[in-house]
Amino acid sequence: RPPQRLVIHPAQHQHFAGLDHAADRVDGLLEDPAVLRRQQVDALELVLGGHPPLGYDVRDRKLEVNLAEAELVRLIFRRFLDLGSALLLIRELNAQGYRTKSWMTQSGTFREGRPFDKGTLYKILRNRTYLGEAVHKGKSYPGEHEPIVDRATWERVHEVLATNARRRGNEARAR
């Protein structure tokens, strides 16, 4: 069977040619230190827009450690290592009366904390903000805020997370 010919409309050709040109320009910009610094600033601004992470408060558009919440974040990381199960940790946290972050919006609306669920817990365990980093478009940059969790604890938690979640849960429930 002879190969089929690909027919491209002239408008599509210009579109693809424009993408190549844009990619060439972006490649040149990624090496520019000013552009990299702007990406770091964008990452920090992204963190500061919206819901502040548990363990931090926003003051003057900067993250500051909330000592009581930071201790809860450290407890979450420690207990996850001890239990090896998100479900058991959630049950424990909710039974002890812990809640997610309560916060005030810029418009003055109070947002009450809720009981922990698996989505919230996994979001906390994977949030690089707790390492003192800011993430923007999938890239991690050094943040201007103080870390809450040390790198060794972070690495151990992520080793546990990398194992099979179903097996971890079954082993934890069997204890």
Side-chain angles (χ1 to χ4, degrees):
R1 180 174 180 191
Q4 294 181 348
R5 290 184 36 170
L6 180 64
V7 179
I8 297 178
H9 190 272
Q12 288 177 314
H13 183 289
Q14 285 188 345
H15 170 75
F16 289 120
L19 288 178
D20 287 341
H21 179 65
D24 292 340
R25 287 189 324 180
V26 168
D27 287 341
L29 290 175
L30 292 179
E31 298 167 5
D32 184 0
V35 172
L36 288 175
R37 180 63 188 148
R38 182 65 204 154
Q39 288 174 341
Q40 290 173 333
V41 170
D42 287 346
L44 185 61
E45 288 173 357
L46 184 68
V47 168
L48 298 180
H51 192 282
L54 181 68
Y56 292 100
D57 292 325
V58 178
R59 293 207 201 329
D60 300 323
R61 297 203 40 85
K62 293 198 182 285
L63 291 176
E64 289 186 4
V65 175
N66 176 321
L67 296 177
E69 290 179 4
E71 193 52 44
L72 174 57
V73 170
R74 290 185 196 102
L75 173 74
I76 288 170
F77 276 80
R78 274 194 314 268
R79 291 302 293 153
F80 182 77
L81 287 173
D82 293 342
L83 297 172
S85 166
L87 186 59
L88 292 179
L89 178 54
I90 291 164
R91 287 180 184 161
E92 182 178 294
L93 292 170
N94 290 335
Q96 293 176 8
Y98 290 112
R99 297 289 180 258
T100 61
K101 181 150 186 95
S102 296
W103 57 291
M104 185 78 67
T105 65
Q106 287 183 342
S107 63
T109 305
F110 182 72
R111 303 285 186 200
E112 184 72 34
R114 300 170 309 176
F116 281 91
D117 58 33
K118 278 181 24 173
T120 304
L121 182 67
Y122 282 119
K123 203 178 276 190
I124 289 170
L125 294 174
R126 291 187 173 115
N127 190 343
R128 298 190 72 85
T129 302
Y130 298 123
L131 282 176
E133 298 177 0
V135 177
H136 180 63
K137 295 185 179 181
K139 285 193 171 185
S140 185
Y141 301 96
E144 297 178 359
H145 58 281
E146 184 180 331
I148 292 178
V149 177
D150 62 278
R151 186 156 302 270
T153 302
W154 174 271
E155 305 261 336
R156 288 195 337 248
V157 163
H158 282 262
E159 286 172 9
V160 172
L161 286 172
T163 63
N164 184 307
R166 184 170 289 167
R167 186 173 344 132
R168 270 189 295 118
N170 289 338
E171 289 171 359
R173 284 185 286 278
R175 284 188 236 159

